[in-house]
Amino acid sequence: MKTSTVKAYGTHAPEADLKQMNIDRREVTSKDVEIDIHYCGVCHSDLHFARNDWGMTQYPVVPGHEIVGTVKRVGDGVRNYKIGDLVAVGCLVDSCRHCENCKKDLEQYCPEWVGTYGGYDKHLDTNTHGGYSETIVVDEAFVLRVPENLDKAGIAPVLCAGITTWSPLRHWKVGKGSTVAVVGLGGLGHMAIKLAAALGAHVTLFSRSPDKSDDAKALGADAVVISTDEAQMESVAGTFDVIIDTVPYAHDLNPYVATLNTNGTLVVVGYLGPLDPMLVTVPMIMGRKSVAGSLIGGIAETQELLDFCGEHNITSDVEVIKIQDINKAYERMLKSDVKYRFVIDMKSL
Ligand code: NAP
Ligand code: ZN
Ligand code: ZN
């Protein structure tokens, strides 16, 4: 298959810094859209993956799954996009398209879903490479349309941080009168607050960081609870219908389960791995409470969110960086020193 070489930023080993490299992109096939990437958000998953935190990374890795750009070229069978359109690509670039999940617009749960990076690229028989690059070529079925009225850097994080929190908010039917809590004020957390507030919920932030209280309220939270303060935690016992937990590392879920209402659900979206300490089932049984997980969102649901953001003027609060600062950005993200998402200006590449 014909390819072209493009500039990208990635790494060859878990302990190595990201640096400039060249990668191949396929020439557009009939259904493909080639996109000039303008902005790419920096997700904590990029860092986990580049450093092999989940033990499944194959190198080299070019991260990035919050991609916004314009259409540069289209295949002869492309129906929905034309050159110059403002488009986006999120965490998925393909799936089997015929399993029960695909038929229900739940491509993220397809056994054959292909991640934007670190997936299997059937065209080139290699790993897929993400958005820390000049261009990307994606089947039009996995390309999204971006509302023209929104800031182009600010919309990028909606493609992962946004949809990952939107999908559980919608699945658990959050709306007017719902009581929602968000654990952790980072990229996912700040989008969860904005989106739950826009859906009409009463929103509380659980944070380790008292200095984030004013920001949380400005983002739309009605209340802030410092999770390390037992008295504050007790004051919200039995309160929440839904909790979205975005913390990236192992932590005790039991204090949060105690704050769920009868029938309430704690949705883990951040941490991937065994719980430590274990869950105590007593409060779950006594209150018909659930602990659940959720993965990003499907293509139709991501488009629904982009349109919702367009209508409600919602974007992410971003710090735009040059690609050359990506390694520093990862270190700052580890210290929760970002308000509240880094987005790379790809012109710098
Ligand atoms: P982030 O911007 O780094 O935010 C994480 C937040 O968690 C921090 O701001 C911090 O908020 C809180 N936190 C609590 N304990 C922490 C600790 N020990 N170290 C660091 N932060 C801690 O990360 P993100 O991009 O929002 O991603 C969050 C997690 O979601 C990552 O693990 C990522 O891989 C995962 N993720 C999952 C999906 C999915 O589909 N399920 C999709 C995207 C990302 P406070 O200071 O307020 O406590
Ligand atoms: Zn992500
Ligand atoms: Zn499928």
Side-chain angles (χ1 to χ4, degrees), residues 9 17-19 51 323-331:
Y9 239 70
D17 275 354
L18 275 69
K19 60 179 180 19
R51 299 187 176 178
I323 187 75
Q324 292 78 9
D325 291 329
I326 188 67
N327 297 299
K328 271 188 258 164
Y330 278 7
E331 291 312 314

Side-chain angles (χ1 to χ4, degrees), residues 197-215:
L199 286 168
H202 182 279
V203 187
T204 298
L205 171 71
F206 285 117
S207 177
R208 311 164 298 173
S209 314
D211 56 324
K212 291 184 183 172
S213 290
D214 290 347
D215 283 0

Side-chain angles (χ1 to χ4, degrees), residues 66-146:
E66 295 181 340
I67 299 167
V68 172
T70 47
V71 175
K72 186 181 180 188
R73 203 169 304 160
V74 292
D76 56 12
V78 169
R79 293 287 164 263
N80 297 318
Y81 298 100
K82 59 178 192 321
I83 293 171
D85 283 355
L86 184 64
V87 292
V89 176
C91 306
L92 296 166
V93 289
D94 209 350
S95 70
C96 86
R97 310 189 195 195
H98 51 72
C99 72
E100 287 308 308
N101 287 320
C102 285
K103 282 193 224 154
K104 290 182 197 146
D105 292 323
L106 295 170
E107 300 88 357
Q108 74 273 34
Y109 302 118
C110 170
E112 293 172 38
W113 72 279
V114 181
T116 304
Y117 59 82
Y120 174 65
D121 185 336
K122 66 182 180 202
H123 302 273
L124 302 181
D125 188 25
T126 174
N127 299 329
T128 52
H129 291 310
Y132 298 5
S133 60
E134 287 178 294
T135 63
I136 190 165
V137 178
V138 179
D139 186 304
E140 72 164 329
F142 288 79
V143 176
L144 297 141
R145 193 169 290 284
V146 177

Side-chain angles (χ1 to χ4, degrees), residues 190-230:
H190 95 289
M191 288 309 299
I193 291 175
K194 288 190 185 207
L195 296 173
L199 286 168
H202 182 279
V203 187
T204 298
L205 171 71
F206 285 117
S207 177
R208 311 164 298 173
S209 314
D211 56 324
K212 291 184 183 172
S213 290
D214 290 347
D215 283 0
K217 299 220 169 114
L219 291 164
D222 299 287
V224 177
V225 170
I226 301 307
S227 50
T228 47
D229 182 325
E230 269 180 43

Side-chain angles (χ1 to χ4, degrees), residues 43-45 47-48 53-54 183-189 208 245-251 268-273 333-334 336 341:
C43 180
H44 207 109
S45 302
L47 184 159
H48 286 308
D53 285 351
W54 297 325
V183 190
L185 185 53
L188 269 56
R208 311 164 298 173
D245 184 335
T246 75
V247 173
Y249 299 99
H251 58 288
V268 178
V269 293
Y271 171 62
L272 207 61
M333 188 158 59
L334 278 174
S336 301
R341 196 64 145 185

